Amino acid sequence: MLSPKAKRACCEKVMEPMKKIGTHNGTFHCDEVLACFLLKQLPEYQDAKIIRTRDPKLLAECDVVVDVGGEFESEKHRYDHHQRSFNETFQSLCPEKRWVTKLSSAGLVYLHFGHRILTQLLEGTAADDQAVQVLYDKLYENFVEEIDAIDNGISQFDGEPRYAMTTNLSARVGHLNPRWNDMDQDTESGFQKAMEMVGKEFRDRLDFYFKSWLPARSLVEEAIRKRTEVDASGEIVVFSKGGCPWKEHLLNLEKELVVEPPIKYVLFADQNGQWRVQCVPDGLNTFENRLSLPEAWRGLRDEKLSTISGIPGCIFVHSGGFIGGNQTKEGALEMARRALKEAAVSNGTNLS
């Protein structure tokens, strides 16, 4: 049986002060909702109480404050972005990063805590794991940056848009606020619903990138590193599995790995076990190819294509010249090699 002194010591240990996360009350926005969700993924804040107020005295009692208070000072865990002097971007705070969108409270919290948050959500990983480093960048560019931009009123492009975007995450968070003419203007229940919705979408996106996007990147990287084993030119890669999304990974990895000359063709098996040869595009958002399949092959199929190309087992070449097929891996590889050779001849380059 515990002595009174021991009981008191146990109670004092259990009754540690509850951590407090401060943010503003009233109408809520996606940036502070996400910032609060992210903070609560960390062990030190998982049981924290969210204090929604603009009272400076109450905010001063909080362990961390986001999106209110007129102060950005990471050493004090103050993450507001509304002050006139604030113009920070990911790049200004981390010069090795390329993003120049002004940060909101979501971006500030993600920048300072993102690596730890990802390791908490991805059990079994460490903050310095290469996977975490890659996912940290991917989640900012394809989730958090949009929220930063919308909250700061930064347009995606110049000029009038052709249509309105009203179903993005920031808009859906906004719709959880009370309507202007509702009798009940309490925002607390809406804030909790918004944090649940935003948190679920962040987790879902992370799960997709970790379990699908990242393995695809690994597959593409392996193919790039082995490209000279496929063909001495280094301009043809073969994927060990078909069906993976490869364009974004290939274009990014070429830059990271300083690949020269640029890769022209990728080979992979389709669902029927036949092989495809596909041209690498000039960029993610263009239909222009680095090197299209030969003009004389385009729109032809089967025996006619095999006769014209001199390659057995041909199935088709699309009329646009961006993809073709062969019954075997060897045949698809020969199509790619022949296309490179014809281009070299037409350009006056000697490929031996």
Side-chain angles (χ1 to χ4, degrees), residues 74 76 157 199 221 229 261 276 290-291 303 313 317 351:
S74 59
K76 293 169 57 180
F157 45 80
E221 182 173 357
E229 298 175 21
R276 300 290 180 91
R290 289 177 174 174
L291 183 60
E303 285 300 322
V317 168
L351 281 184

Side-chain angles (χ1 to χ4, degrees), residues 25-317:
N25 57 359
T27 301
F28 51 84
H29 311 97
C30 196
D31 71 314
E32 79 266 15
V33 171
L34 178 59
C36 289
F37 165 79
L38 292 174
L39 287 169
K40 285 180 72 68
Q41 306 316 298
L42 297 170
E44 63 266 37
Y45 296 122
Q46 63 182 357
D47 298 319
K49 183 177 181 180
I50 296 176
I51 307 296
R52 300 184 65 231
T53 182
R54 294 184 185 274
D55 186 332
K57 292 182 180 179
L58 294 177
L59 291 174
E61 297 172 359
C62 293
D63 299 276
V64 55
V65 176
V66 299
D67 210 45
V68 70
E71 185 179 13
F72 166 53
E73 194 170 340
S74 59
E75 293 79 8
K76 293 169 57 180
H77 293 320
R78 284 345 190 219
Y79 302 102
D80 196 10
H81 66 110
H82 293 100
Q83 52 274 31
R84 186 169 182 168
S85 60
F86 184 92
N87 286 295
E88 301 291 359
T89 68
F90 227 104
Q91 189 178 75
S92 70
L93 297 176
C94 298
E96 71 275 14
K97 303 298 184 184
R98 64 183 178 278
W99 304 292
V100 293
T101 298
K102 183 179 176 181
L103 295 167
S104 70
S105 62
L108 283 170
V109 168
Y110 187 80
L111 184 150
H112 287 90
F113 298 98
H115 288 95
R116 288 185 56 217
I117 290 164
L118 296 186
T119 61
Q120 287 297 127
L121 295 174
L122 298 173
E123 295 180 8
T125 61
D128 59 353
D129 281 2
Q130 181 61 27
V132 172
Q133 303 298 318
V134 173
L135 291 170
Y136 176 78
D137 287 359
K138 184 65 175 175
L139 264 294
Y140 182 73
E141 186 167 63
N142 286 269
F143 195 95
V144 182
E145 185 178 23
E146 170 191 322
I147 294 166
D148 284 344
I150 290 173
D151 195 77
N152 284 305
I154 300 170
S155 298
Q156 278 186 290
F157 45 80
D158 296 327
E160 288 294 317
R162 291 181 179 272
Y163 51 87
M165 291 288 290
T166 63
T167 59
N168 57 58
L169 185 57
S170 295
R172 281 181 280 126
V173 166
H175 288 312
L176 292 174
N177 282 284
R179 300 179 180 91
W180 72 272
N181 55 353
D182 283 345
M183 293 295 293
D184 184 1
Q185 289 292 312
D186 179 35
T187 59
E188 288 303 318
S189 63
F191 183 89
Q192 293 300 322
K193 289 178 183 177
M195 196 159 66
E196 182 179 346
M197 178 177 71
V198 168
K200 182 180 185 304
E201 294 207 17
F202 184 87
R203 286 175 175 272
D204 286 348
R205 189 70 64 87
L206 176 60
D207 184 71
F208 168 77
Y209 289 145
F210 184 62
K211 294 180 179 177
S212 179
W213 182 87
L214 200 60
R217 176 186 165 93
S218 297
L219 184 147
V220 174
E221 182 173 357
E222 179 186 26
I224 291 174
R225 292 188 183 279
K226 292 182 176 180
R227 66 192 186 281
T228 55
E229 298 175 21
V230 174
D231 188 76
S233 70
E235 297 179 74
I236 305 169
V237 298
V238 177
F239 298 143
S240 58
K241 286 185 179 179
C244 87
W246 56 267
K247 293 178 184 177
E248 174 193 3
H249 295 304
L250 188 143
L251 295 174
N252 287 337
L253 285 164
E254 275 188 328
K255 295 176 184 176
E256 292 177 27
L257 301 174
V258 195
V259 172
E260 285 292 341
I263 295 162
K264 305 302 190 303
Y265 300 112
V266 301
L267 274 59
F268 54 89
D270 65 18
Q271 293 178 333
N272 298 317
Q274 298 173 333
W275 281 79
R276 300 290 180 91
V277 51
Q278 187 167 350
C279 306
V280 176
D282 277 336
L284 274 182
N285 301 307
T286 178
F287 292 109
E288 295 297 320
N289 303 314
R290 289 177 174 174
L291 183 60
S292 297
L293 293 170
E295 174 72 35
W297 300 358
R298 299 176 198 174
L300 301 183
R301 300 188 63 87
D302 305 323
E303 285 300 322
K304 189 171 184 179
L305 176 57
S306 292
T307 300
I308 291 292
S309 65
I311 303 168
C314 289
I315 299 171
F316 79 100
V317 168

